Amino acid sequence: MLSTYLNFQFDIQGKSVNGFCMRIQDDFHETYAVVLDGYHSFCVWLDSSSTWRSSRHTSVEPRILEQIISRLSLNKLS
């Protein structure tokens, strides 16, 4: 399981993305609050079918969301 906090910084198409994920209490899923510079915060979670989901009103570019989920997945394995 990932520690409760993950900092990240990466570039997508020349745009720098900085932020962090923090594990939050959820009795049903493995859930993380995501905070990005310049964006509204949102949640991502791993559902019962082992598929990552995000909040309905997540307003980040799909490539940014994919990168965040990829980093969460990699850190879960280490």
Side-chain angles (χ1 to χ4, degrees):
M1 175 176 62
L2 176 71
S3 70
T4 59
Y5 191 82
L6 172 68
N7 280 312
F8 53 80
Q9 179 178 0
F10 53 87
D11 291 327
I12 297 287
Q13 298 174 333
K15 180 179 181 180
S16 182
V17 178
N18 299 300
F20 66 91
C21 295
M22 182 174 59
R23 178 115 191 233
I24 57 176
Q25 179 62 38
D26 182 336
D27 292 334
F28 303 104
H29 303 102
E30 184 175 333
T31 305
Y32 298 90
V34 180
V35 179
L36 298 174
D37 291 345
Y39 293 91
H40 288 286
S41 59
F42 58 94
C43 290
V44 294
W45 63 91
L46 195 58
D47 71 10
S48 58
S49 67
S50 296
T51 301
W52 284 99
R53 306 286 182 184
S54 64
S55 304
R56 180 181 313 172
H57 300 291
T58 302
S59 61
V60 298
E61 293 85 355
R63 292 199 45 161
I64 292 174
L65 185 59
E66 289 169 10
Q67 186 69 238
I68 292 166
I69 289 171
S70 172
R71 288 171 186 263
L72 285 169
S73 296
L74 286 174
N75 280 285
K76 279 178 57 69
L77 297 174
S78 14

